[in-house]
Structure formats: structure tokens, C-alpha cells
Amino acid sequence: MLVTENLMQFIWKLRLFRTNGLSSADGESLVVVHVGQYNTDSGPDFLMSHIRCEGSDWFGHVEMHIRSSDWDRHCHQQDDAYNNVILHVVWKNDRVIYRGDGTAIPTVVLSEYVDQLLLERYSNMMSTKSWIPCGFQLGSIDDLKKSMWLNTLSIERLEMKVQQIMVILKQFDADWEKTFWVWMCRCMGLKVNADTFQELGEKLPLSILQKYRSNLFKIEALFFGISGLLKQQKDSEYVKQLADEFKYQKHIHDLESVSGIWKKLRMRPYNFPERRIAQLAVLFCKNELGVSKILAVDNLAAARKLFKIDSLSDYWVSHFSFGTKAGEKKSVRLGKDAVDILVINVIVVFLFSYGKYFGIETYVDKALELLEEMPAEKNVVVRQFAQCEWHVQSALQSQGILQLKRFYCDRKRCLYCRIGSEILKKN
């Protein structure tokens, strides 16, 4: 049966062991008054515990190991941080262990007090090849508990993205406008080209772009030129003019192009980087997208309107990329699902980050309200959970379920998942 120290900590923390008749390996009666505070830092596993041994109250720390001999193997007897350990909790007792001063530490063999069913459930979760470790049991969990967990995970996901925003903000000396455009570019790149699009955003000279904001052609020349996609691409007069304009701008402003590689393999033509960059140019130029417009968003309709594209340059009506004709006129707009993804990843994340940074709860609340108002995303993760009787109702919940899949299910962190905990705790 698979047992880990993490599982032992989980069992101890939630008191998932029989407390009646609990005794040490030496036969002394034990009562666990307080399991202690779980320690996520160095030192003993649980701090400030309260144990009653043979009627005497002991206050101190609790340390856990699979085997009691692990105490010596880890050299805890030489570490002052472990001098106040009052109880050693082990799965197998193979040696008497001592503190640094030579006094023996009471040991309790946890395996003697744990229900076998809990161990079987945990072992099944850890060994399963299923897409979701506990998928076949999800239907038995209360919907309210699942909903509350997804709300928490959605916040956790946003907090992680805030950290990404903060890295960019620091890189550009707290310039929020530049940070916004770097993040905007990254989000336009989807997963495949996110890094190269971010590099594009980093190299876009905002001060120069602002001067030409009313001139879409110059904006396109700068966007495409810095992307590096104009090189050796002169299939039409439009492309030649773009190349000539960028050559001039590059000379007078000493501009650099990106070094990253643009990817198109197994990508829908509507998501080709050239087309996405053409849309970015319009969002910058005609929609005048920027920090002030993001902060002014007060409802979902206004958020979606920011990404509305009515037209692109004529070339992109019949092309998906440079030199590749589409064969017939194609829609230039961002699709409804694409717009909603940008609302989630750009507007919601930026409002949340800005609000957290400046301590303005209005922006944080606005971000969460937008997620609650939006429909759940349509993707393979959402569909797979639906097959396991877990249906999401909003983008707030679908963001949570993406976080759950990537950072809990995929990594089999079931002990840290509220749903995994509920399944393991069930009688």
C-alpha cells in the first residue's frame, strides 16, 4: 500500500485516525489534545502541539517519518530545531530514537490507527491512469462544495497571473501602459506563440507608436517590422510599402526585431501570427486600447466592445499570412469565443492586478464580477469534467477548473485539493 509522509501529515492534520485507545510504541496512553500547526517551512512537521501522555500535558512539536530510523538518517538529533519534539509519528517503528540531549522521544505508530479504506482510496488515486484521478467519484461530492472550491481556485489562478504582471511591471520600471501592451501582446499569441508575442510587446516603442496612432499603415509597418515577419516578403505593393516604411523607421529610431520563432504548425489560419498582428495594430490604432480604457470598463458589453474589429487593411481580407492567399474573402473580426478569452486574460487579469497593486478593491471586484457574468469557456478540460458530472456555469468557475486540472489533478496533489480531501475523508 502506497504511503508517503504527505499522506501521514494529511491524516494527522485532519485527525483521520482512531483516537480511542491511542498509545505510544511503549504502551503509554496518549491523547492528542491539539495536533499542532502544520509547518510549511523548515523544522518539525507540526508546531505548538498539545499531547497528553499518561495524564501529563506536553507542549511542543511533532515530527513524522515513514520509518522511525529516518530520524537518525536525517540527523535530527544534531539539529536544535528538533530539541522540542514531544512526539514522533511513524508508519513503521524500527528503532528507538533520541533527542540531542540523549532523551528518548515517545513514538506512535500511525499505521495501527488508520482505516484501510482511506489508504486504498489514496493508493487508487496515485496509481490511476485516468485523466482525472478521482473522476469516477466526483458525482458523489456536494455541488456547493465543488462550487466554493472552484471560486477559490479562480482567485488562486488570478493571483498567479498577477505575479506574471508584476515581473513585467518591474522590468519596465512601473510603466503600466507598457506593461499592459506587453501583456496584451502575450495574450494575442495564445499558448503557441505567447513568448514570441511577448517579445514583440517588449520591443514595441510605445512613445513612437503614440505619435503615429492615427496612421494605421505606419502602425502596421512598425508592428510587422519589429515582428521580423516582413523579411523577404514582398508579394504585393502593400507588403513592399510596409517593408520600406519599416526600413526608414528602423534607421531613424534604431529599432530591433524579435529573435523568437513564430509557429504555425497545426494552427487554424485565423490564428496565424500575421493575422493576429494585423488585429493588434487595429486594436492599438483604431480602438485606442490602453490602460485608461481597461480601467473604465464597467460591464461585460463594454469589455467585449474593446476588442470589436470592423475592418483590417484590404490585404488581410484575402490573406491569412504574407504571400498566402485565402482564396476568398474572410471575416476580419475576432470571433465571440476569441473575444471572451481576451476579456478573461487581458481585461480581468489587468483589472485584478491593478487593483491588487494599488489596493483598490473596486477594480478587484469588477474583475470578479466580469468572470461571474461571462459564460463558461468551451474547451477540452471543461468538457472532460462535465463527463464526470462536474458542470461549470460561468467563466469564474471554468477558470477555476483549469487551475484545478493543471495544478492539482495533473500533479496528483489530491491531498491539497478540497475535493480529493472530501473523497478520502468519506466514511
Side-chain angles (χ1 to χ4, degrees), residues 150-259:
L150 288 187
N151 290 348
T152 299
L153 289 173
S154 184
I155 301 294
E156 180 181 291
R157 185 175 179 83
L158 280 169
E159 294 282 6
M160 289 177 68
K161 290 185 177 180
V162 168
Q163 295 308 309
Q164 291 179 267
I165 294 283
M166 292 304 111
V167 170
I168 299 170
L169 188 67
K170 183 177 181 180
Q171 180 182 349
F172 293 101
D173 299 321
D175 184 337
W176 278 95
E177 199 71 41
K178 180 65 176 180
T179 298
F180 167 75
W181 268 100
V182 172
W183 186 254
M184 176 69 208
C185 288
R186 181 175 182 83
C187 292
M188 281 293 280
L190 306 175
K191 287 183 180 180
V192 177
N193 284 307
D195 290 341
T196 310
F197 259 99
Q198 179 167 335
E199 187 187 356
L200 171 63
E202 290 169 352
K203 292 187 173 177
L204 286 176
L206 274 190
S207 58
I208 298 169
L209 290 169
Q210 295 288 6
K211 287 169 38 179
Y212 300 132
R213 198 154 204 168
S214 61
N215 189 324
L216 179 59
F217 175 76
K218 288 184 181 293
I219 296 298
E220 285 181 326
L222 287 165
F223 272 65
F224 282 120
I226 292 170
S227 75
L229 290 166
L230 280 177
K231 295 175 182 177
Q232 299 177 346
Q233 298 287 349
K234 297 182 180 180
D235 66 312
S236 71
E237 188 60 30
Y238 164 76
V239 180
K240 290 176 184 176
Q241 289 175 357
L242 285 177
D244 289 342
E245 177 64 25
F246 179 67
K247 184 178 180 181
Y248 170 72
Q249 295 292 344
K250 181 179 180 180
H251 175 71
I252 63 173
H253 296 298
D254 193 26
L255 302 175
E256 292 183 7
S257 297
V258 302
S259 58

Side-chain angles (χ1 to χ4, degrees), residues 10 19 69 93 133 167 184-185 194 216 218-219 252 262 279 299 324 326 338 342 350 353 381 385 388-389 398 418 421:
F10 172 82
T19 55
S69 57
N93 185 29
V167 170
M184 176 69 208
C185 288
L216 179 59
K218 288 184 181 293
I219 296 298
I252 63 173
W262 298 103
Q279 291 167 336
N299 57 57
T324 305
L342 286 173
F350 203 80
S353 301
V381 174
F385 272 92
C388 296
E389 299 183 55
S398 61
R418 290 184 193 172
S421 298

Side-chain angles (χ1 to χ4, degrees), residues 26 132 170 181 194 225 249 313 328:
D26 292 334
I132 305 167
K170 183 177 181 180
W181 268 100
Q249 295 292 344
S313 295
E328 58 185 40

Side-chain angles (χ1 to χ4, degrees), residues 18-275:
R18 294 190 301 277
T19 55
N20 291 336
L22 189 67
S23 64
S24 71
D26 292 334
E28 297 177 315
S29 65
L30 290 175
V31 176
V32 180
V33 181
H34 178 47
V35 297
Q37 178 182 325
Y38 180 54
N39 181 23
T40 57
D41 208 339
S42 60
D45 295 307
F46 289 85
L47 308 177
M48 298 178 287
S49 304
H50 181 185
I51 307 297
R52 188 167 293 133
C53 183
E54 290 290 314
S56 298
D57 288 316
W58 292 13
F59 299 88
H61 311 321
V62 171
E63 176 65 2
M64 298 190 160
H65 290 116
I66 298 297
R67 294 177 176 80
S68 53
S69 57
D70 290 339
W71 175 277
D72 293 332
R73 190 164 60 86
H74 295 164
C75 299
H76 291 329
Q77 71 277 14
Q78 301 172 16
D79 189 339
D80 291 344
Y82 292 83
N83 285 343
N84 200 28
V85 169
I86 57 173
L87 185 66
H88 194 208
V89 180
V90 303
W91 201 254
K92 294 179 181 179
N93 185 29
D94 61 349
R95 182 184 300 175
V96 177
I97 56 102
Y98 301 89
R99 300 182 186 89
D101 62 5
T103 55
I105 303 176
T107 298
V108 63
V109 183
L110 193 61
S111 57
E112 297 175 1
Y113 303 95
V114 177
D115 192 326
Q116 189 70 15
L117 185 58
L118 185 155
L119 300 177
E120 290 175 0
R121 285 176 179 158
Y122 178 72
S123 183
N124 288 337
M125 284 183 182
M126 294 301 102
S127 62
T128 184
K129 303 292 185 187
S130 299
W131 197 74
I132 305 167
C134 65
F136 67 98
Q137 299 180 77
L138 284 177
S140 66
I141 304 299
D142 180 71
D143 285 342
L144 179 59
K145 288 181 179 179
K146 290 192 286 192
S147 179
M148 291 175 65
W149 181 222
L150 288 187
N151 290 348
T152 299
L153 289 173
S154 184
I155 301 294
E156 180 181 291
R157 185 175 179 83
L158 280 169
E159 294 282 6
M160 289 177 68
K161 290 185 177 180
V162 168
Q163 295 308 309
Q164 291 179 267
I165 294 283
M166 292 304 111
V167 170
I168 299 170
L169 188 67
K170 183 177 181 180
Q171 180 182 349
F172 293 101
D173 299 321
D175 184 337
W176 278 95
E177 199 71 41
K178 180 65 176 180
T179 298
F180 167 75
W181 268 100
V182 172
W183 186 254
M184 176 69 208
C185 288
R186 181 175 182 83
C187 292
M188 281 293 280
L190 306 175
K191 287 183 180 180
V192 177
N193 284 307
D195 290 341
T196 310
F197 259 99
Q198 179 167 335
E199 187 187 356
L200 171 63
E202 290 169 352
K203 292 187 173 177
L204 286 176
L206 274 190
S207 58
I208 298 169
L209 290 169
Q210 295 288 6
K211 287 169 38 179
Y212 300 132
R213 198 154 204 168
S214 61
N215 189 324
L216 179 59
F217 175 76
K218 288 184 181 293
I219 296 298
E220 285 181 326
L222 287 165
F223 272 65
F224 282 120
I226 292 170
S227 75
L229 290 166
L230 280 177
K231 295 175 182 177
Q232 299 177 346
Q233 298 287 349
K234 297 182 180 180
D235 66 312
S236 71
E237 188 60 30
Y238 164 76
V239 180
K240 290 176 184 176
Q241 289 175 357
L242 285 177
D244 289 342
E245 177 64 25
F246 179 67
K247 184 178 180 181
Y248 170 72
Q249 295 292 344
K250 181 179 180 180
H251 175 71
I252 63 173
H253 296 298
D254 193 26
L255 302 175
E256 292 183 7
S257 297
V258 302
S259 58
I261 298 173
W262 298 103
K263 302 170 186 174
K264 297 181 183 178
L265 187 63
R266 292 189 292 275
M267 180 182 289
R268 293 178 65 245
Y270 281 101
N271 291 328
F272 280 180
E274 293 96 329
R275 193 172 182 81

Side-chain angles (χ1 to χ4, degrees), residues 154-155 158 162 294-295 297-300 303 343-356 360-374 395-396 399:
S154 184
I155 301 294
L158 280 169
V162 168
I294 299 299
L295 299 181
V297 166
D298 56 5
N299 57 57
L300 181 56
V343 171
I344 292 170
N345 291 327
V346 177
I347 296 181
V348 168
V349 170
F350 203 80
L351 283 171
F352 192 88
S353 301
Y354 195 89
K356 284 287 183 179
I360 305 174
E361 289 300 317
T362 304
Y363 292 131
V364 173
D365 293 341
K366 193 186 296 185
L368 297 177
E369 287 166 6
L370 282 173
L371 281 180
E372 286 184 303
E373 189 179 349
M374 295 178 68
L396 183 74
Q399 282 289 290

